[in-house]
Amino acid sequence: GSTVAIFAKALAEYVKKNSKITPVVCGSFEVEVACKTLGLTVLQQSAEYVCAVAFDGFDEIDPQKNLLK
């Protein structure tokens, strides 16, 4: 959640600076609260969407620099 929260903050700044409406779908309640607090439009997880970009954090990096959940 912490990596996604950093991304959400940067996305919110971009949206505000460029007057864009960029709805998001959050993977956790904590990230949803953070996104709403930042002023992002949050869509419900229970529906299907076509996403231009998907972003998720990772838990660790292996010796070959693969990102692992």
Side-chain angles (χ1 to χ4, degrees):
S2 61
T3 305
V4 176
I6 293 168
F7 177 77
K9 183 177 179 184
L11 178 61
E13 291 171 2
Y14 171 82
V15 167
K16 186 174 183 178
K17 180 179 177 183
N18 294 287
S19 300
K20 300 278 185 184
I21 298 173
T22 306
V24 298
V25 178
C26 302
S28 72
F29 177 74
E30 293 82 8
V31 173
E32 180 177 340
V33 170
C35 287
K36 286 180 178 179
T37 301
L38 292 165
L40 292 169
T41 301
V42 177
L43 302 176
Q44 295 181 2
Q45 290 183 357
S46 58
E48 292 184 21
Y49 305 99
V50 175
C51 297
V53 175
F55 181 87
D56 193 5
F58 57 91
D59 297 325
E60 62 182 286
I61 302 173
D62 71 12
Q64 290 75 37
K65 301 203 185 304
N66 296 304
L67 307 180
L68 308 172
K69 285 295 289 172

